Coordinates of all heavy atoms in Angstrom, one line a residue:
L1 N 120.5 81.4 183.7 CA 119.9 80.4 184.7 C 118.6 81.0 185.3 O 118.5 82.1 185.7 CB 120.9 80.1 185.8 CG 122.2 79.4 185.3 CD1 123.1 79.2 186.5 CD2 121.9 78.1 184.7
G2 N 117.6 80.1 185.3 CA 116.3 80.5 185.8 C 115.3 80.9 184.8 O 114.1 80.9 185.0
V3 N 115.8 81.2 183.6 CA 114.9 81.7 182.5 C 113.9 80.7 182.1 O 112.7 81.0 181.9 CB 115.7 82.2 181.3 CG1 114.8 82.6 180.1 CG2 116.6 83.4 181.7
Y4 N 114.4 79.5 181.9 CA 113.5 78.4 181.4 C 112.4 78.2 182.4 O 111.2 78.1 182.0 CB 114.3 77.1 181.2 CG 113.3 76.0 180.6 CD1 113.1 75.9 179.3 CD2 112.8 75.1 181.5 CE1 112.2 74.9 178.8 CE2 111.9 74.1 181.0 CZ 111.6 74.0 179.7 OH 110.8 73.1 179.2
E5 N 112.7 78.2 183.7 CA 111.7 77.8 184.7 C 110.7 78.9 184.9 O 109.5 78.6 185.1 CB 112.5 77.6 186.0 CG 113.3 76.3 186.1 CD 114.6 76.4 185.4 OE1 115.0 77.6 184.9 OE2 115.3 75.4 185.2
D6 N 111.0 80.2 184.8 CA 110.0 81.2 185.1 C 109.5 81.9 183.8 O 108.4 82.5 183.9 CB 110.5 82.3 186.1 CG 111.7 83.0 185.6 OD1 111.9 83.3 184.4 OD2 112.5 83.4 186.5
S7 N 110.1 81.8 182.7 CA 109.7 82.5 181.5 C 109.3 81.6 180.3 O 108.7 82.1 179.4 CB 110.8 83.5 181.1 OG 111.1 84.4 182.1
V8 N 109.6 80.4 180.4 CA 109.4 79.5 179.3 C 108.4 78.3 179.7 O 107.4 78.1 179.1 CB 110.7 78.9 178.7 CG1 110.4 77.9 177.6 CG2 111.6 80.0 178.3
L9 N 108.8 77.6 180.7 CA 108.0 76.5 181.2 C 106.5 76.9 181.4 O 105.6 76.1 181.0 CB 108.6 75.8 182.4 CG 107.9 74.5 182.9 CD1 107.9 73.5 181.8 CD2 108.6 74.0 184.1
P10 N 106.2 78.0 182.0 CA 104.8 78.3 182.3 C 103.9 78.4 181.0 O 102.8 78.0 181.0 CB 104.8 79.7 183.0 CG 106.2 79.6 183.7 CD 107.1 78.9 182.7
V11 N 104.5 78.9 179.9 CA 103.7 79.0 178.7 C 103.6 77.7 178.0 O 102.6 77.4 177.3 CB 104.3 80.1 177.7 CG1 104.2 81.5 178.3 CG2 105.7 79.8 177.2
I12 N 104.6 76.8 178.2 CA 104.5 75.4 177.7 C 103.4 74.7 178.5 O 102.5 74.0 177.9 CB 105.8 74.7 177.8 CG1 106.9 75.3 176.9 CG2 105.7 73.2 177.5 CD1 108.3 74.7 177.1
E13 N 103.4 74.8 179.8 CA 102.4 74.1 180.6 C 101.0 74.7 180.3 O 100.0 73.9 180.5 CB 102.8 74.3 182.1 CG 104.0 73.5 182.4 CD 104.4 73.6 183.9 OE1 104.0 74.6 184.5 OE2 105.1 72.7 184.4
A14 N 100.9 75.9 179.9 CA 99.6 76.5 179.6 C 99.1 76.0 178.2 O 98.0 76.4 177.8 CB 99.7 78.0 179.6
G15 N 99.9 75.3 177.5 CA 99.5 74.8 176.1 C 99.5 75.9 175.1 O 98.8 75.7 174.1
L16 N 100.4 76.9 175.2 CA 100.3 78.0 174.3 C 101.5 78.0 173.3 O 101.6 79.0 172.5 CB 100.4 79.3 175.1 CG 99.2 79.6 176.1 CD1 99.4 80.9 176.8 CD2 97.9 79.6 175.3
V17 N 102.3 77.0 173.2 CA 103.5 77.0 172.4 C 103.3 76.2 171.1 O 102.8 75.1 171.2 CB 104.7 76.5 173.2 CG1 106.0 76.5 172.3 CG2 104.9 77.3 174.4
D18 N 103.8 76.8 170.0 CA 104.0 76.0 168.8 C 105.5 75.9 168.6 O 106.2 77.0 168.5 CB 103.3 76.7 167.6 CG 101.8 76.7 167.6 OD1 101.3 75.9 168.4 OD2 101.2 77.4 166.8
F19 N 106.0 74.7 168.6 CA 107.5 74.5 168.5 C 107.9 74.5 167.0 O 107.3 74.0 166.2 CB 107.9 73.2 169.1 CG 107.7 73.2 170.6 CD1 106.6 72.5 171.2 CD2 108.5 73.9 171.5 CE1 106.4 72.5 172.5 CE2 108.3 73.9 172.8 CZ 107.2 73.2 173.4
I20 N 109.0 75.2 166.8 CA 109.6 75.3 165.4 C 110.8 74.3 165.4 O 111.7 74.3 166.2 CB 110.1 76.7 165.1 CG1 109.0 77.7 165.4 CG2 110.7 76.8 163.7 CD1 107.8 77.5 164.6
G21 N 110.7 73.4 164.4 CA 111.7 72.3 164.2 C 113.1 72.9 163.8 O 113.2 74.1 163.3
P22 N 114.1 72.1 163.9 CA 115.5 72.6 163.6 C 115.7 73.1 162.2 O 116.6 73.8 161.9 CB 116.4 71.5 163.9 CG 115.5 70.3 163.9 CD 114.1 70.7 164.3
E23 N 114.8 72.6 161.3 CA 115.0 73.0 159.9 C 114.3 74.4 159.6 O 114.5 75.0 158.5 CB 114.3 72.0 158.9 CG 112.8 71.9 159.0 CD 112.3 71.2 160.3 OE1 113.1 70.6 161.0 OE2 111.0 71.3 160.5
G24 N 113.6 74.9 160.5 CA 112.9 76.2 160.3 C 111.8 76.1 159.2 O 111.1 75.1 159.2
G25 N 111.7 77.1 158.4 CA 110.8 77.1 157.3 C 109.6 78.0 157.5 O 109.5 78.7 158.5
E26 N 108.6 77.9 156.6 CA 107.4 78.8 156.7 C 106.5 78.4 157.8 O 106.1 77.2 157.9 CB 106.7 78.8 155.4 CG 105.6 79.9 155.3 CD 105.0 80.0 153.9 OE1 104.3 79.1 153.5 OE2 105.2 81.0 153.3
Y27 N 106.1 79.3 158.7 CA 105.1 79.0 159.7 C 103.7 79.4 159.2 O 102.8 78.7 159.4 CB 105.4 79.8 161.0 CG 104.4 79.7 162.1 CD1 104.4 78.5 162.8 CD2 103.5 80.7 162.3 CE1 103.4 78.4 163.8 CE2 102.5 80.5 163.3 CZ 102.5 79.4 164.0 OH 101.5 79.2 165.0
M28 N 103.6 80.5 158.5 CA 102.4 80.9 157.9 C 102.8 81.8 156.7 O 103.9 82.3 156.6 CB 101.5 81.6 158.9 CG 102.0 82.9 159.5 SD 100.8 83.6 160.7 CE 101.8 85.0 161.3
P29 N 101.9 82.1 155.8 CA 102.2 82.9 154.6 C 102.8 84.2 155.0 O 102.3 85.0 155.8 CB 100.9 83.1 153.9 CG 100.1 81.9 154.2 CD 100.5 81.6 155.7
G30 N 104.0 84.5 154.5 CA 104.7 85.7 154.8 C 105.6 85.7 156.0 O 106.3 86.7 156.2
L31 N 105.6 84.6 156.7 CA 106.5 84.6 157.9 C 107.2 83.2 158.0 O 106.5 82.2 158.0 CB 105.6 84.8 159.2 CG 106.4 85.0 160.5 CD1 105.7 85.9 161.5 CD2 106.7 83.7 161.2
S32 N 108.5 83.3 158.0 CA 109.3 82.0 158.1 C 110.4 82.1 159.0 O 110.8 83.2 159.4 CB 109.8 81.6 156.7 OG 110.6 82.6 156.2
F33 N 110.9 81.0 159.4 CA 112.0 80.9 160.4 C 113.3 80.4 159.7 O 113.2 79.4 158.9 CB 111.7 79.9 161.5 CG 110.7 80.4 162.5 CD1 109.3 80.4 162.2 CD2 111.0 81.0 163.7 CE1 108.4 80.9 163.1 CE2 110.1 81.5 164.6 CZ 108.8 81.5 164.3
M34 N 114.4 81.1 159.9 CA 115.7 80.7 159.3 C 116.6 80.3 160.4 O 116.9 81.1 161.3 CB 116.2 81.9 158.6 CG 117.6 81.7 158.0 SD 118.2 83.0 156.9 CE 118.3 84.4 158.0
P35 N 117.1 79.0 160.5 CA 118.0 78.6 161.5 C 119.3 79.4 161.5 O 119.9 79.5 160.5 CB 118.2 77.1 161.2 CG 117.1 76.7 160.3 CD 116.7 77.9 159.6
T36 N 119.6 80.0 162.6 CA 120.9 80.8 162.7 C 121.6 80.4 164.1 O 121.8 81.3 164.9 CB 120.6 82.3 162.6 OG1 119.5 82.6 163.5 CG2 120.3 82.7 161.2
P37 N 121.9 79.1 164.3 CA 122.4 78.7 165.6 C 123.8 79.2 165.8 O 124.6 79.6 164.8 CB 122.4 77.2 165.4 CG 122.6 76.9 164.0 CD 121.8 78.0 163.3
G38 N 124.2 79.3 167.0 CA 125.6 79.7 167.4 C 125.6 80.6 168.6 O 126.1 80.2 169.6
H39 N 124.9 81.7 168.5 CA 124.8 82.5 169.7 C 124.1 81.7 170.8 O 124.5 81.7 172.0 CB 124.0 83.8 169.4 CG 123.7 84.6 170.7 ND1 124.6 85.3 171.4 CD2 122.5 84.7 171.3 CE1 124.1 85.8 172.4 NE2 122.8 85.5 172.4
S40 N 123.1 81.0 170.4 CA 122.5 80.0 171.3 C 122.3 78.7 170.4 O 122.4 78.8 169.2 CB 121.1 80.4 171.8 OG 120.1 80.5 170.8
I41 N 122.0 77.6 171.0 CA 122.0 76.3 170.4 C 121.0 76.2 169.2 O 121.2 75.5 168.2 CB 121.9 75.2 171.4 CG1 122.3 73.9 170.8 CG2 120.4 75.2 172.0 CD1 122.5 72.8 171.8
G42 N 119.8 76.9 169.4 CA 118.8 76.7 168.4 C 118.3 78.1 167.9 O 117.1 78.2 167.5
H43 N 119.1 79.1 167.9 CA 118.7 80.4 167.6 C 118.0 80.4 166.2 O 118.5 79.8 165.3 CB 119.9 81.3 167.6 CG 119.6 82.8 167.4 ND1 119.2 83.4 166.2 CD2 119.7 83.8 168.3 CE1 119.1 84.7 166.4 NE2 119.4 85.0 167.6
M44 N 116.9 81.2 166.1 CA 116.2 81.3 164.8 C 116.1 82.8 164.5 O 115.7 83.6 165.3 CB 114.8 80.7 164.9 CG 114.8 79.2 165.0 SD 114.8 78.4 163.4 CE 114.7 76.7 163.8

């Protein structure tokens, strides 16, 4: 509790976030996201 408000929302409001969709996949050559949900709802 409180993490979203002080550690996440400020970087969103600053326009610094690239969001990764639920399917994951390649973000740039050599770096990709693999969905591994469970520990948290959208863990990657």
Side-chain angles (χ1 to χ4, degrees):
L1 294 180
V3 173
Y4 182 84
E5 290 76 11
D6 62 33
S7 300
V8 178
L9 186 58
V11 297
I12 295 176
E13 292 180 336
L16 297 179
V17 178
D18 288 348
F19 294 104
I20 307 301
E23 70 285 349
E26 187 174 71
Y27 176 78
M28 61 183 177
L31 190 150
S32 59
F33 287 80
M34 178 171 66
T36 47
H39 172 72
S40 71
I41 196 167
H43 189 289
M44 290 275 183

